[in-house]
Amino acid sequence: MNTKEKILEAMLELASINGIHKTSLNMVANKVGIRKSSLYYYFTSKDEMIKEMYNSIRNRKISALPIDFSLDIEEIVITSFKNYLLLCNDDKMKKVFMLVESEKFIDEIAKSIYLEETHTMLKTSYGLFSKIQEIKNIEIANLEEFTQLYCLYAHELVLLTILNDSAFNEEKCILSIKAFIRNFMKIKE
């Protein structure tokens, strides 16, 4: 692991324990074993460091399940949901996720990461449902509204799952997503 990676690891570990505001650059430098001034060789600010920490974890290659569009609609959506759950259950992503969730209302960088992640999920889900429409030759009523509701619902299920709420394991989440699809996805005739 190079110095930059060590800095990002230290920031994640310390911010997960102390929060973003209470994690100082001195703390990060001490954990890595370098001088605070050396941090500026790699990052221009603490915000840049946190943003890069998120991006480096978010953009890692995590083995996603392939989506087979020959399956029925429920199974396609379930596979997509499992991929999101897989991403968020990664140990490092879980730490980032919990950090952002807990600080999105009090820290600007956490808020910007939360908004970026939300927009990514909306765009990805809209693309998924658009492709389902195209391949299955159907039209989902109120596609944009349906996508927003799905994202809110899926996000909350994932949050409850990674918080280890005993009522929300992966199996129960999948049953819940299936019920959501059956109850809210309206196909125009």
Side-chain angles (χ1 to χ4, degrees), residues 3-20:
T3 303
K4 187 173 187 176
E5 291 167 339
K6 288 178 185 176
I7 293 168
L8 296 174
E9 285 281 326
M11 175 53 86
L12 176 59
E13 187 177 326
L14 292 167
S16 295
I17 295 166
N18 303 308
I20 294 171

Side-chain angles (χ1 to χ4, degrees), residues 113-129:
I113 290 170
Y114 178 82
L115 291 172
E116 181 180 329
E117 188 65 27
T118 299
H119 289 289
T120 298
M121 186 178 187
L122 286 166
K123 182 179 176 185
T124 302
S125 297
Y126 187 84
L128 173 73
F129 294 126

